[in-house]
Amino acid sequence: MTKSDYIIKAKNIKKLFSGVAALDDITFSLKKGDIHAIVGENGAGKSTLIKILGGIYQPTGGILEIKGEEVKNLTPQKSKELGISIVHQELSVIDTQTIVESFNISKISKGIGFLNWKKLRKDTEIFLKSLDLNFDPLEKVSSLTMGEKQLLEIARCVYESSEIIIMDEPTSSLSEAEIEILFKIIDKLKERNISIIYISHKLNEIKKISDNVTVLRDGKTTSFFSKEEIDIDKIVEKMVGKKLSMKYSYEKQVKDFSNSETVFKVDNLSSGKKVKDVSFYVRKGEIIGMFGIVGSGRTETMRSVIGVEKIKSGTINYNNKNVKFKSPYDALKNGVGYISEDRRSEGLVFTFDAKQNNSLPYFIKNSIKGFWGWNEFKKEKAIMKYAKDLFKIKINSINDDVLTLSGGNQQKIVISKWFYTNSNVLILDEPTRGIDVGAKEDIYKFIFDLAEKGLSIIIISSELPEIKMVSDRIYVFKEGKTIAEFENKNITDNEILKAATA
C-alpha cells in the first residue's frame, strides 16, 4: 500500500485542556473511499478528535497527515480547503433560507458579485436528483423535518466537492426510511471515492456499512477492527471495558397492568396541523412507547399535552380530573415532566454551567410562576453530584460550561435533571439520542426503576428496538393519529412497521 492510499493518518494525537487529557494517544488511518467508523462512550474523545480534524482545536502532541503531507496549525478554513467537511450532530442549516440558498451559502458569504440564480437552481435540482433526494430547491429549509434537514446537510457537503466527510451521529434524527436513503447516498459517495469518518452509537449501523472500526476509550485508541472482524459484542466490550448485561435483544418482562389505575388519559386530541385524532392512556408504573415515522405527530402531541401547542379539541384526564395545562411550567408544577428531543434549543441553557442546568427543573417547580424563588447552592451541588454519579456524566468540575461537554454528556444532563422533580408522569422524547451503549443501559435501568416505584412513563423513540425493549404497551402514530395499539408480547417488528407505514 502506497503513502497516497491514505487520505488521513493520525499518530499518537494528544490534546490537553488545563493539563487534563481529553485525548491521550489516538492513532488511526483513513483510506480513500473507505467508511471508517469511530466509536466510543460519551467523553471518549470523539468530539475532540473531530474538532482537531476540523481545525477548531490544535493538538498538544502527535502527528497529523492529510493527503500525504504533515499538517500543522490547521484552521477551519484550511481544513475546508483540504476537502474536509463535518456534518455535526447539531444541525447548521438556516431555516430562513431556501434549499438553493443553503447549497450556495459559501458563494453568498464571499460576496462574489452577480449570481445566476436560475442556473444555480437548476444545478441544485440536478445534483439532488443524482442522490435520489426529491427536494424543491425553492422550498424553505424551515418546512423540512429534522431528518430531511440532516440529509440536506450531508448532500451540501458533497455539493461543495468535499473529499472527506465526517458524519457525527448522522441518523440520530432520521426515520427508518430516511436511514435507508442515507445509506444509499453513502454508497454513491463510495463510488465517487469520497472518504467518510462515521461516528455513531448505533452499532448495528456500524456493522452494516463500515469498512473498518476504531474504538476509543478515555482518550485512547483501544482497538481496530477490519470489516471481517467487526463484532458488536467485542466492540461494546472494548468501548466500556466490560460486558454489558442488557442488549437490544433483551426480552422485556411485561407485567399485567389490568388492575392498575389509569393515571393519564388522552381522548381524541387535535391540535395544530399535525395532531388530528390521538388517544392513549398510561397506568401507574407502566411504560408506554410511541412509535411512528418522522412527522407522524408524536412530538407535536406531547407538546400539546404539556401546553406548548394550543389544543383544538379532545380531552386530557390526569388523576381522574379533566385538565388543560397552560404551559410546560403548569404541567411541571402538577407533576408532569417533559424531556424535549431538541437539547440545543430546549434542553439546555448554554449560558449556565453543568450544575445550574441540572438543577433548573427542580428550582422552577419550587418557584412562584416559574420566575421567583430561592436558589439553594447546597441543593444545586447535591443534585449535580447525584446525577453525575448515577449517569456517569464525565465532567472535570460541576462548574463546567455545558457548551464544552460532549453531545452525549449534554444529553445525560438533559435527562438527569428531571429525576429530582418527583414527577408522577414523565414524557421522554428520543431520550437516548447521541448516547453510547453503556449510558443507554444505565438510563434504561433507571427508567425501569422509576416505573417500579410507580412513575408513569411515556417514551417517544424512532428506534424500534428501543421501543420494544422498554415498553409495556406500544402506540403507533401515522399522519397525526394513533392508528394501532400493541401489548408488548410476541409482537414482531413487521407488525409495528406495517402499521406505521401502510
Side-chain angles (χ1 to χ4, degrees):
M1 184 164 294
T2 65
K3 182 179 180 181
S4 61
D5 285 328
Y6 288 105
I7 197 163
I8 290 180
K9 292 184 78 173
K11 186 177 181 181
N12 306 124
I13 299 296
K14 299 175 185 283
K15 179 61 182 175
L16 302 178
F17 291 101
S18 303
V20 178
L23 299 182
D24 193 18
D25 185 8
I26 300 294
T27 297
F28 83 99
S29 300
L30 176 66
K31 190 180 177 184
K32 285 183 180 178
D34 264 7
I35 301 170
H36 191 127
I38 297 180
V39 301
E41 290 186 282
N42 300 124
K46 303 185 300 295
S47 297
T48 304
L49 180 60
I50 289 173
K51 289 175 181 176
I52 286 175
L53 295 174
I56 298 168
Y57 292 159
Q58 298 299 316
T60 308
I63 298 171
L64 178 62
E65 291 182 5
I66 300 176
K67 298 180 181 178
E69 301 293 331
E70 185 175 351
V71 178
K72 295 182 178 179
N73 301 317
L74 189 64
T75 64
Q77 182 60 34
K78 190 173 180 181
S79 176
K80 199 167 186 66
E81 290 170 358
L82 287 168
I84 299 175
S85 289
I86 302 174
V87 181
H88 292 283
Q89 190 175 346
E90 309 298 343
L91 301 178
S92 64
V93 289
I94 301 171
D95 278 351
T96 55
Q97 291 184 329
T98 61
I99 290 173
V100 66
E101 289 170 337
S102 182
F103 264 59
N104 294 278
I105 186 66
S106 59
K107 295 175 183 176
I108 297 170
S109 61
K110 287 177 182 176
I112 59 176
F114 175 76
L115 293 175
N116 186 340
W117 284 105
K118 186 175 181 180
K119 183 177 184 303
L120 291 176
R121 177 190 174 187
K122 189 66 178 175
D123 290 346
T124 302
E125 185 175 23
I126 291 170
F127 176 78
L128 286 168
K129 284 183 178 177
S130 76
L131 296 178
D132 297 327
L133 293 175
N134 297 314
F135 296 146
D136 181 351
L138 296 182
E139 189 175 1
K140 287 278 190 182
V141 172
S142 59
S143 69
L144 304 179
T145 66
M146 286 282 286
E148 288 169 338
K149 289 177 184 178
Q150 186 80 289
L151 292 173
L152 180 69
E153 189 152 359
I154 292 166
R156 188 172 67 176
C157 292
V158 187
Y159 186 76
E160 293 175 345
S161 302
S162 302
E163 297 176 66
I164 303 161
I165 300 178
I166 302 171
M167 299 184 183
D168 186 9
E169 298 288 349
T171 63
S172 62
S173 301
L174 303 188
S175 66
E176 296 291 329
E178 288 166 333
I179 288 172
E180 289 306 312
I181 293 172
L182 172 63
F183 289 169
K184 287 178 182 177
I185 291 174
I186 288 174
D187 286 340
K188 290 177 183 289
L189 300 186
K190 276 183 67 71
E191 290 171 5
R192 300 181 189 189
N193 216 28
I194 292 173
S195 306
I196 296 172
I197 295 176
Y198 193 93
I199 296 171
S200 177
H201 293 304
K202 299 180 181 180
L203 300 183
N204 288 328
E205 292 178 3
I206 296 292
K207 184 176 176 64
K208 184 175 182 179
I209 67 168
S210 301
D211 293 302
N212 34 60
V213 179
T214 292
V215 182
L216 308 185
R217 187 170 80 240
D218 298 330
K220 298 180 181 180
T221 304
T222 64
S223 304
F224 172 83
F225 296 87
S226 65
K227 190 174 187 67
E228 297 75 24
E229 297 170 328
I230 294 174
D231 179 279
I232 292 176
D233 288 341
K234 290 179 180 178
I235 290 173
V236 170
E237 191 172 346
K238 293 296 183 182
M239 281 173 56
V240 303
K242 62 179 181 179
K243 291 184 178 181
L244 295 183
S245 59
M246 190 179 295
K247 304 178 185 177
Y248 272 169
S249 59
Y250 170 84
E251 186 176 346
K252 180 173 175 57
Q253 300 300 309
V254 180
K255 296 181 180 179
D256 181 8
F257 288 92
S258 57
N259 294 321
S260 300
E261 64 177 300
T262 297
V263 175
F264 202 84
K265 190 171 187 287
V266 171
D267 284 309
N268 308 116
L269 188 72
S270 172
S271 72
K273 295 180 180 179
K274 292 190 175 181
V275 183
K276 299 173 183 176
D277 185 9
V278 172
S279 298
F280 67 89
Y281 66 93
V282 57
R283 294 167 289 203
K284 186 173 182 178
E286 189 179 28
I287 303 171
I288 64 167
M290 304 291 201
F291 183 76
I293 64 173
V294 173
S296 60
R298 299 164 303 163
T299 294
E300 291 81 4
T301 293
M302 293 307 146
R303 291 173 70 83
S304 301
V305 164
I306 64 165
V308 176
E309 308 289 346
K310 188 175 180 180
I311 294 173
K312 291 180 182 177
S313 60
T315 61
I316 301 171
N317 188 283
Y318 174 47
N319 286 336
N320 296 316
K321 293 181 182 179
N322 283 345
V323 298
K324 188 177 284 187
F325 298 123
K326 299 174 184 176
S327 65
Y329 166 74
D330 188 24
L332 172 60
K333 201 76 174 174
N334 284 280
V336 179
Y338 172 72
I339 298 173
S340 171
E341 66 173 336
D342 187 350
R343 69 166 170 258
R344 179 162 289 273
S345 299
E346 299 179 353
L348 296 167
V349 180
F350 283 99
T351 54
F352 284 7
D353 61 30
K355 70 178 185 304
Q356 291 169 323
N357 268 280
N358 208 76
S359 59
L360 195 58
Y362 171 82
F363 287 118
I364 288 175
K365 183 177 182 180
N366 291 284
S367 69
I368 300 172
K369 296 185 178 180
F371 295 102
W372 306 102
W374 293 102
N375 186 9
E376 304 171 59
F377 296 110
K378 286 185 178 179
K379 189 73 171 179
E380 189 176 71
K381 292 178 181 178
I383 292 172
M384 185 67 243
K385 187 178 185 305
Y386 172 81
K388 180 177 179 290
D389 294 342
L390 187 66
F391 287 93
K392 301 180 178 66
I393 301 171
K394 293 184 178 179
I395 51 177
N396 295 320
S397 164
I398 62 174
N399 301 312
D400 283 355
D401 290 338
V402 289
L403 195 59
T404 66
L405 304 182
S406 69
N409 282 301
Q410 288 178 355
Q411 183 69 3
K412 288 181 183 180
I413 289 179
V414 168
I415 295 169
S416 65
K417 68 182 183 179
W418 286 93
F419 291 134
Y420 231 93
T421 59
N422 294 320
S423 298
N424 298 317
V425 178
L426 192 60
I427 303 166
L428 302 98
D429 196 349
E430 303 288 1
T432 63
R433 177 175 291 168
I435 292 289
D436 64 67
V437 289
K440 280 185 177 183
E441 183 176 65
D442 294 333
I443 289 170
Y444 295 150
K445 285 180 177 177
F446 200 79
I447 288 172
F448 294 150
D449 184 53
L450 288 175
E452 197 70 35
K453 293 176 180 176
L455 193 73
S456 302
I457 297 174
I458 301 169
I459 292 182
I460 301 170
S461 178
S462 299
E463 294 186 40
L464 184 51
E466 179 170 86
I467 283 286
K468 286 183 65 180
M469 180 178 166
V470 302
S471 307
D472 296 299
R473 281 185 301 115
I474 299 167
Y475 286 95
V476 180
F477 282 62
K478 183 182 177 185
E479 297 176 354
K481 301 177 181 179
T482 39
I483 49 91
E485 176 190 350
F486 298 101
E487 292 286 340
N488 195 4
K489 295 178 182 178
N490 303 317
I491 185 71
T492 66
D493 291 2
N494 285 340
E495 287 176 283
I496 297 172
L497 288 170
K498 185 177 179 181
T501 58

